[in-house]
Each structure stands twice: as C-alpha cells, then as structure tokens.
Amino acid sequence: MTPDRDSCLNESVVRVLIDSETIKKRVRELGTTITADYRGTAPHVIAILKGASVFHADLIRAIDLSVSIDFIAVGSYGASIKSSGEVRILKDLDESVEGRDVLLVEDILDTGLTMHYLIQNLTSRRPKSLKVVTLLNKPAQRSVRVSADYVGFEVSDHFVVGYGLDFDQRYRNLPDIWILKTPGSPS
C-alpha cells in the first residue's frame, strides 16, 4: 500500500488478509475454470450489489466467453457487522433469467441467508442452470445450508473489508482484503 492510502486508513483496519496480487491470480483461475465449464454457452453473470461489483467486473474479464451481465441488490446488514437476518431485494434484475445459464456472483458467503433467499428466488424464475461464484467463503458463520460452486478463498471468522467489501459503505476501494477491527477483537 502507498503511504497516502495508509494515512487515509484509521486503526479500524488491522492487516491485509489477502493481497491484491493473490486476488488477481485467483480471479484469473476462476475465469479459466468457468470458461472451460461453460464452453459453447453464453452465461448470464449476475453481480449481487454492491459488494460483488469489483469481483464481478474482474471475473467477467477473466471469462473467455460471450457473457451477458446483470445486477441485483439485496440488503441484510445496514451499518452493522452482523446480518439482521432479514433479506430484501433493493434492486431487481433488468432481464429475465428464464432458460439461461446463470452465474450468481457474491463477494462473501457467510451466514448463507442472502444466498439461500436469492437461490430460491432465482430458481423460481426457471433458469436453465444456476451456479454460485463467491470470492470468499466463511463457513464458520453459516446458519443456512448453502454452498458455492466456485470459491475464490476460504476465510476464517473475521469481518473483512476491501475489494468491494465494506463496513458502513467504507473501505470498498481498497485493492486488498483487510481484517476490520471490531469491538473486543485483538489488534
């Protein structure tokens, strides 16, 4: 990180968990795998806003196929570090997914509540196929049985920010994934 960026960060951000070069390499690997798995098709790649937007943008450039994109926004956190447990759609898709191969792109799969809700919702819209891609998988927080078909990284039970992930709409622009210091957490 540059000194200017360091001076903008406060003591809330503890340390880098995954650096930007490691992220770039893994996103390219995921793109290669998805390209092989979807050869001969044109997957519809949906980002879950806002967190997955950075990952989605890099991932679609790493997929060597003709893809279409869309966005869906849901809410369950607000300004908290814990999910409220209530998932609601804030922005729905612009296009139908009926009969299409759909890849649902998430930044982090933790409790599973949001993903479970979205899988049920999108399945009811009759896609040809529906698979989940997540940059981060945090199984320690899982409260609903759900999994991803493509996983960037398994992470431990920390609240993380950067590369699209936020706390109260801050830190999304960090190129690395950082651990956020929470009350009672060690430095």
Side-chain angles (χ1 to χ4, degrees):
M1 293 197 43
T2 65
D4 289 339
R5 178 147 307 177
D6 284 339
S7 66
C8 294
L9 298 176
N10 60 36
E11 294 180 12
S12 296
V13 181
V14 178
R15 65 179 169 86
V16 172
L17 181 64
I18 307 169
D19 66 78
S20 62
E21 288 305 312
T22 303
I23 295 168
K24 286 177 192 174
K25 180 178 184 247
R26 184 65 183 133
V27 171
R28 283 191 304 268
E29 292 169 354
L30 288 169
T32 299
T33 300
I34 291 167
T35 298
D37 290 352
Y38 283 84
R39 180 82 50 214
T41 69
H44 190 57
V45 188
I46 300 170
I48 303 172
L49 296 176
K50 298 178 186 170
S53 61
V54 176
F55 175 43
H56 181 260
D58 288 346
L59 182 65
I60 61 172
R61 288 190 298 256
I63 298 171
D64 190 20
L65 299 169
S66 175
V67 300
S68 55
I69 66 170
D70 208 340
F71 303 91
I72 192 166
V74 293
S76 69
Y77 276 81
S80 174
I81 62 168
K82 298 269 189 218
S83 173
S84 68
E86 176 188 332
V87 180
R88 55 195 171 87
I89 292 181
L90 305 173
K91 183 234 174 277
D92 207 345
L93 300 173
D94 293 328
E95 298 180 29
S96 171
V97 296
E98 187 172 350
R100 300 171 92 171
D101 291 308
V102 174
L103 285 169
L104 186 58
V105 179
E106 177 66 298
D107 55 357
I108 186 166
L109 182 54
D110 48 19
T111 66
L113 293 169
T114 300
M115 189 55 66
H116 182 261
Y117 172 83
L118 285 172
I119 289 170
Q120 286 186 320
N121 183 292
L122 294 176
T123 298
S124 74
R125 302 180 195 198
R126 300 186 311 249
K128 179 179 178 184
S129 68
L130 174 61
K131 291 194 176 180
V132 174
V133 184
T134 189
L135 177 65
L136 304 177
N137 185 36
K138 191 193 307 186
Q141 286 293 312
R142 200 84 80 244
S143 60
V144 176
R145 181 177 241 164
V146 67
S147 61
D149 301 281
Y150 303 95
V151 175
F153 303 94
E154 296 279 333
V155 293
S156 56
D157 193 15
H158 295 287
F159 194 90
V160 292
V161 295
Y163 196 71
L165 295 115
D166 77 301
F167 171 68
D168 200 19
Q169 301 302 321
R170 295 180 10 226
Y171 308 115
R172 290 188 196 279
N173 62 318
L174 298 174
D176 311 298
I177 295 173
W178 289 73
I179 294 175
L180 182 71
K181 184 177 182 179
T182 57
S185 67
S187 299

